[in-house]
């Protein structure tokens, strides 16, 4: 069993017999060793339209015959990443930080939102432990692009590619994503908060 889980169990067992203040001390010690772990989820979906480009993780999907007709570049992966980070920090969502009526966000490269938001996250004392993601798209094979997307995301977040995963799914022709009418992304993140209680 990982050391973190063992320490957690020990804290829990002791909490039965220790007073509240001793329990708090134990938790303080646990958190100063490992920090507080926080999970975040992000999701986004955009319709696809002919005559528009498709950008995912800051990479132009050149094989895509349709793209996103949105305020920004519509990069669903980048949007879902910001939402996942904001969720883990309980700090609003994409639209709170990058409103749809903000002229600066018009035609923005959404990967820049990711880089900027990651800087904000660090300034608030959080560290990103790992990120896992899915892009779901029925029409265009993404595998040739996944390595470049992963590298872009890791660079924007200033973390190693070893802790970034970007996967593709087709949805087997089912629903609007499977039929190629839309493209979606889901993201999970784990953050460590350097904070004492
Ligand atoms: N747009 C996509 C979707 C999937 N892939 C790759 O194909 C594998 C099988 O996916 P299914 O959803 O069809 O079962 C998947 O693991 C990806 O590697 C892809 O490249 N582009
Ligand atoms: C990113 C923002 C802002 O430019 O615009 P869109 O590109 O429309 O994307 P969406 O995911 O619909 O909403 C979030 C908006 O805040």
């Amino acid at each position: 069993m990982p050391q973190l889980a063992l320490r957690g169990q020990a804290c829990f067992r002791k909490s039965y017999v220790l007073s509240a203040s001793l329990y708090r001390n134990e938790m303080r010690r646990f958190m100063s060793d490992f920090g507080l772990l926080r999970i975040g989820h992000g999701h986004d979906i955009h319709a696809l339209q002919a005559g528009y480009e498709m950008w995912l993780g800051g990479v132009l999907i050149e094989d895509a015959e349709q793209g996103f007709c949105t305020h920004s570049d519509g990069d669903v992966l980048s949007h879902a990443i910001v939402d996942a980070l904001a969720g883990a920090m309980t700090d609003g969502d994409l639209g709170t930080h990058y409103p749809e009526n903000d002229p600066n966000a018009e035609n923005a490269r959404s990967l820049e939102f990711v880089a900027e938001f990651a800087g904000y996250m660090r300034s608030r004392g959080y560290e990103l432990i790992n990120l896992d993601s899915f892009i779901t798209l029925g029409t265009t094979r993404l595998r040739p692009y996944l390595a470049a997307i992963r590298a872009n995301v890791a660079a924007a977040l200033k973390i190693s590619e070893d802790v970034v995963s970007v996967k593709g799914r087709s949805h087997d022709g089912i629903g609007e994503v499977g039929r190629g009418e839309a493209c979606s992304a889901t993201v999970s993140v784990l953050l460590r908060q350097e904070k004492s209680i």
Side-chain angles (χ1 to χ4, degrees), residues 121-184:
M121 175 196 79
R122 285 188 294 272
S123 76
R124 289 208 40 206
Y126 291 92
E127 175 198 2
L128 178 54
I129 294 177
N130 79 305
L131 178 151
D132 189 17
S133 65
F134 261 122
I135 304 169
T136 310
L137 177 64
T139 42
T140 309
R141 296 309 279 174
L142 289 175
R143 205 175 293 161
Y145 301 94
L146 292 179
I149 295 173
R150 181 183 180 211
N152 266 3
V153 168
L157 293 167
K158 292 197 173 143
I159 55 174
S160 161
E161 284 186 45
D162 292 347
V163 293
V164 173
S165 156
V166 182
K167 312 187 295 293
R169 273 274 154 238
S170 70
H171 248 211
D172 205 18
I174 301 162
E176 55 275 290
V177 172
R179 287 193 299 269
E181 295 162 16
C183 173
S184 72

Side-chain angles (χ1 to χ4, degrees), residues 4 23 27-39 88-90 124-129 189-197:
L4 177 60
Y23 171 69
M27 281 307 287
R28 272 206 191 98
R29 210 148 59 83
F30 174 77
M31 282 175 55
S32 68
D33 284 357
F34 298 108
L36 183 62
L37 300 178
R38 303 184 65 137
I39 195 165
M89 296 159 65
T90 53
R124 289 208 40 206
Y126 291 92
E127 175 198 2
L128 178 54
I129 294 177
V189 294
L190 188 64
L191 306 191
R192 193 171 70 85
Q193 184 184 19
E194 291 158 10
K195 181 184 157 195
S196 59
I197 54 172

Side-chain angles (χ1 to χ4, degrees), residues 44 46 70-74 79 94-95 98-100 105 113:
D44 198 14
H46 281 308
T70 45
H71 184 234
S72 68
D73 61 1
H79 294 178
L94 176 69
Y98 302 99
E100 280 157 8
F113 297 160

